[in-house]
Amino acid sequence: MITLDYQRLHATPVATDPFPHIVVPHFVPEPALPAVFRDLPRMTKRGSFPIASLALGPAAAALVGELEGPRFRAAISTRFGLDLDDAPTMVTLRGQSTERDGHIHCDSTAKRVTVLLYLNPEDESWGQHEGCLRLLRSRDLEDFAVEVPPVNGTLLVFPNSATAWHGHKTFIGQRFVIQLNYMTNDAAARSELRRHRLSAFVKRLTAAA
């Protein structure tokens, strides 16, 4: 069992610039974070891996279970005024960032809401803005309204849209982020998960070669 800071989540205003979003520092409280970090798998390949394909320790597994649970779903529904009762979920974990990551993009239209939970300890790299996610007003990395360091259990949530541009400066190294998406329908969720599973399978074959 893990206790997340729902009080902070409900108290944080929904920002509108450059698009609706919430940033909640320390959503994973500081005392719980070391155990979660310790229980994450050591990942050497880039890309997002389906949670079901990974071996998580008990603290990390409890965190994922809470994120997939009804309390968190209800909180996100309330904050953004969305009906997510029947929205299927997709949960992935990313543990490595390379020069190929961080490019400006909007998320797939199959994703209704994107939830990012950053689990990295503070590091001087983040202070240099490397790997810090920027929420953009345009397809220009310097035209940002918000920059989110990927540290200390920080939660970022935003509904997907055609103008929800985001990206980050190049960072090479360990960068853990859990991504949960509320999907548009079951077919979309299955399609996205198949794509991630195929990618993860190819990466495992490449590592074994």
Side-chain angles (χ1 to χ4, degrees):
M1 183 175 178
I2 189 167
T3 301
L4 302 177
D5 198 340
Y6 285 99
Q7 182 176 352
R8 190 187 293 256
L9 171 58
H10 285 289
T12 300
V14 176
T16 58
D17 185 15
F19 45 82
H21 69 275
I22 294 177
V23 178
V24 186
H26 301 289
F27 182 61
V28 180
E30 188 174 348
L33 198 57
V36 171
F37 187 79
R38 183 182 63 242
D39 283 353
L40 296 172
R42 300 304 98 178
M43 304 176 74
T44 59
K45 294 289 184 179
R46 69 174 294 274
S48 297
F49 291 78
I51 282 291
S53 72
L54 300 171
L56 303 179
L63 173 60
V64 171
E66 182 66 24
L67 293 177
E68 291 191 284
R71 185 178 182 185
F72 186 75
R73 181 188 293 260
I76 301 306
S77 297
T78 298
R79 297 314 323 276
F80 290 99
L82 298 172
D83 181 1
L84 299 175
D85 286 350
D86 298 321
T89 57
M90 181 176 73
V91 186
T92 59
L93 177 66
R94 182 182 289 267
Q96 284 289 327
S97 179
T98 73
E99 68 281 351
R100 295 169 58 190
D101 297 306
H103 299 296
I104 297 169
H105 67 285
C106 293
D107 285 349
S108 162
T109 56
K111 300 172 181 176
R112 290 183 63 190
V113 179
T114 293
V115 175
L116 299 171
L117 185 60
Y118 293 108
L119 301 172
N120 308 285
E122 285 196 58
D123 183 272
E124 63 181 15
S125 298
W126 317 123
Q128 300 299 316
H129 307 284
E130 300 170 359
C132 298
L133 193 71
R134 291 179 173 182
L135 308 186
L136 307 172
R137 300 186 179 99
S138 67
R139 298 188 68 173
D140 177 355
L141 195 59
E142 297 305 319
D143 187 19
F144 65 96
V146 178
E147 185 175 71
V148 184
V151 299
N152 295 342
T154 295
L155 176 72
L156 168 63
V157 186
F158 57 89
N160 189 27
S161 76
T163 58
W165 300 105
H166 53 285
H168 62 76
K169 288 186 175 182
T170 299
F171 174 78
I172 299 175
Q174 182 176 272
R175 184 178 181 273
F176 279 108
V177 54
I178 293 175
Q179 178 167 328
L180 179 149
N181 291 104
Y182 295 104
M183 309 297 287
T184 54
N185 56 58
D186 286 317
R190 287 196 297 270
S191 176
E192 287 280 334
L193 278 172
R194 280 196 299 270
R195 181 173 66 82
H196 284 298
R197 284 173 182 145
L198 177 60
S199 176
F201 177 69
V202 170
K203 290 183 180 75
R204 286 196 295 271
L205 284 181
T206 302

